[in-house]
Amino acid sequence: MEKAIEVRDVKKYFYSKKRALFKKSEVKEFKAVDGVSFDIYKGEIFGLLGPNGAGKTTLIKMITGLLLPTEGTILVLGIDVVKETIKAQRNIGTVLAGDRSIYWKLTARENLEYFGALYGLKRKEAKERAEMILERLGISEKADQIVEKFSTGMKQKVALGKALMPNAPILLLDEPTLGLDPQSAINLREIILEFKREGKTILLTTHYMEEADFLSDRVAIIDSGKIIALDKPDNLKKSINEVKTMKLELMGASYEIIEGLKNLEKVQNVLSHYNQQNRTFEVTIHHYDGESVIHEILDYVLKKKAKVLNINVEEPSLEDVFIHLTGKSLRE
Ligand SMILES: Nc1ncnc2c1ncn2[C@@H]1O[C@H](COP(=O)(O)OP(=O)(O)OP(=O)(O)O)[C@@H](O)[C@H]1O
C-alpha cells in the first residue's frame, strides 16, 4: 500500500521557565509528543483517538508544518515537511479544532473565494470551486450571509470548505465534530465518508470513541504523547475479548463502596461517574471470566445496601480498549 504520510520517531517538547524567589529560574520540559511513529496509507481514514491533552493537535500541527518537531521526521507524499514545508503543504487541507482562521465579517462564499485566491486559484476557478463546495456542504442557501451570524456547525462547515478549496489529496481534520449538535455531527461524518469515497486520505483526531470507530479504517490510540495501540477498530476491540464489560447503575452507593469493588478477584478496572441529578453512580467494571464474578459483584453491592437500578453487559468499545490499556476513561 502506498503511503500518504510517514511519521518517524517524532517528538515535541515544550519548555517553560519556572521562576522561584532568590533562585535561578528553572527550565521545565513538557513532552507533548513523545516518540511517535506511524504510517497513513493513501485513501484511508486514519483516526487519532485520545483524551484532552494527549498530543493530537500538536501532532496535526507538526504534520501540517505549523510546528517544528523537536526530533523526528514527517513525510507527506514523500516530501519532508521540515525541509520542504511549502511543497508538502500543497498536498494538505487542514481544519484545526475551533478554527478561527475564517473571516467572520465576510460571507461564506467570500471566505472560500478569498482562500481560493490565496491558494493560487484563478478567479473563475475559485468562484466555481467555492460554488461546488458550498453545494456539497449543504450551505448554498446561506452562502451570501456573513459568517459571524452562523451556528457553530455552519462555521465548522465553512472552515472545512476552506480546507477543501485547494483540492488537496490529504485532509487533516482536528476534532471535526467538536461542539456540534448530534444531527450536524452525523451530517459532517457522512461528508467525511464521501471524501474518502472520492479517494482522499484523511487524518482525523477525536476524543469521541464512537466517531473514531465509525469513521476510521485504522485507529491509533494516543495518551500522554505516546501511541499505545494502533489497528483496525474491530481488531482493537477483539484484542480485549477476554475482558468483559459490565455497567451498573447504583442508588445509595458511595465512592468507598465503589473502591471496594476493585478488591474483588478477577475485577480489572472500575470507573464511576456520579450523576448528581438522580443521585446515582454509573459504574463501569472490567472483569475477567463470566458468571461467578458477576454474582460476586452483585452480592457485594447488595451487602453494602446499595440498590441496583440497572445492569448491562456490553460488547467492548474503543473506550474499553482505552480503559484496559490506561486504567482511565477517555473523558477524564
Ligand atoms: N505551545 C505550547 N506550550 C506549552 N505546552 C503546550 C503548547 N501547546 C500544547 N501544549 C501542551 O501539550 C499537551 C498536548 O496538547 P494538544 O493540544 O496536542 O492535545 P490534544 O490531544 O489535541 O488535546 P485537546 O483535545 O485538549 O486539544 C497539552 O498538555 C498542552 O497543554
Side-chain angles (χ1 to χ4, degrees):
M1 268 185 282
E2 274 183 272
K3 291 169 189 171
I5 297 175
E6 295 162 68
V7 175
R8 284 287 161 273
D9 303 317
V10 166
K11 297 181 180 167
K12 181 69 195 179
Y13 295 174
F14 291 112
Y15 297 93
S16 58
K17 268 198 181 157
K18 210 174 122 191
R19 288 189 191 284
L21 214 55
F22 309 121
K23 279 193 200 154
K24 241 176 124 186
S25 55
E26 269 175 60
V27 177
K28 243 185 113 191
E29 184 181 74
F30 180 79
K31 299 175 177 178
V33 174
D34 193 15
V36 159
S37 298
F38 58 89
D39 292 328
I40 302 180
Y41 302 120
K42 281 189 184 170
E44 78 171 335
I45 299 186
F46 187 93
L48 262 181
L49 174 70
N52 289 128
K56 305 180 296 292
T57 304
T58 308
L59 250 174
I60 287 230
K61 283 186 177 165
M62 287 191 282
I63 296 171
T64 203
L66 285 173
L67 263 183
L68 268 179
T70 310
E71 265 180 47
T73 318
I74 300 171
L75 304 181
V76 171
L77 297 180
I79 305 160
D80 190 313
V81 174
V82 174
K83 292 186 186 142
E84 294 184 274
T85 311
I86 292 175
K87 198 171 161 201
Q89 278 173 339
R90 282 201 194 109
N91 296 298
I92 302 175
T94 311
V95 187
L96 290 174
D99 204 328
R100 296 272 174 272
S101 64
I102 51 172
Y103 291 99
W104 290 27
K105 297 284 178 200
L106 296 183
T107 67
R109 188 189 308 280
E110 285 164 350
N111 262 289
L112 298 198
E113 289 179 3
Y114 169 77
F115 283 105
L118 218 59
Y119 296 133
L121 300 185
K122 297 217 171 72
R123 209 188 157 113
K124 185 165 170 272
E125 214 180 343
K127 264 187 178 316
E128 284 169 5
R129 192 152 171 81
E131 184 65 51
M132 190 273 283
I133 290 170
L134 290 163
E135 185 82 29
R136 267 297 287 289
L137 297 178
I139 49 176
S140 298
E141 268 176 35
K142 297 204 172 165
D144 298 308
Q145 295 180 15
I146 58 168
V147 165
E148 192 173 38
K149 298 203 173 116
F150 283 4
S151 65
T152 314
M154 291 278 289
K155 282 181 189 140
Q156 184 71 353
K157 282 188 178 175
V158 179
L160 183 59
K162 173 198 143 190
L164 291 170
M165 280 304 285
N167 201 14
I170 299 171
L171 282 175
L172 307 185
L173 308 176
D174 190 15
E175 300 274 2
T177 61
L178 187 71
L180 299 194
D181 61 84
Q183 191 53 50
S184 306
I186 291 171
N187 292 346
L188 203 61
R189 286 181 196 133
E190 282 306 323
I191 291 171
I192 293 171
L193 285 175
E194 267 177 44
F195 295 150
K196 176 190 149 76
R197 273 179 233 127
E198 285 165 16
K200 290 205 189 295
T201 304
I202 299 159
L203 165 62
L204 68 92
T205 76
T206 181
H207 62 278
Y208 301 125
M209 53 113 182
E210 297 93 347
E211 180 161 286
D213 197 346
F214 175 71
L215 286 177
S216 316
D217 295 299
R218 289 187 306 142
V219 170
I221 300 183
I222 179 166
D223 186 41
S224 304
K226 286 189 158 66
I227 288 185
I228 53 174
L230 194 171
D231 210 330
K232 292 180 180 159
D234 279 349
N235 290 348
L236 288 171
K237 289 183 279 181
K238 272 189 212 141
S239 73
I240 59 157
N241 241 349
E242 80 280 13
V243 181
K244 308 284 177 228
T245 305
M246 180 179 176
K247 298 224 164 152
L248 290 180
E249 194 184 354
L250 300 178
M251 177 86 108
S254 64
Y255 282 109
E256 207 184 334
I257 293 176
I258 287 159
E259 274 302 301
L261 282 168
K262 294 183 182 166
N263 300 327
L264 298 180
E265 218 188 317
K266 292 184 178 162
V267 166
Q268 191 208 19
N269 278 303
V270 180
L271 292 172
S272 63
H273 171 73
Y274 183 61
N275 189 333
Q276 211 139 17
Q277 224 172 356
N278 318 330
R279 299 188 177 177
T280 55
F281 278 92
E282 289 155 22
V283 191
T284 304
I285 304 169
H286 281 182
H287 61 84
Y288 295 104
D289 193 48
E291 275 176 43
S292 65
V293 67
I294 293 181
H295 284 141
E296 263 184 63
I297 291 168
L298 292 179
D299 278 350
Y300 168 83
V301 169
L302 295 175
K303 226 182 264 165
K304 295 287 178 191
K305 307 242 177 326
K307 203 168 160 192
V308 180
L309 299 182
N310 231 324
I311 307 178
N312 270 317
V313 177
E314 294 185 354
E315 290 293 310
S317 65
L318 290 183
E319 166 97 29
D320 293 315
V321 177
F322 188 78
I323 296 172
H324 178 70
L325 293 171
T326 65
K328 55 187 188 184
S329 153
L330 272 169
R331 285 159 295 174
E332 266 173 18

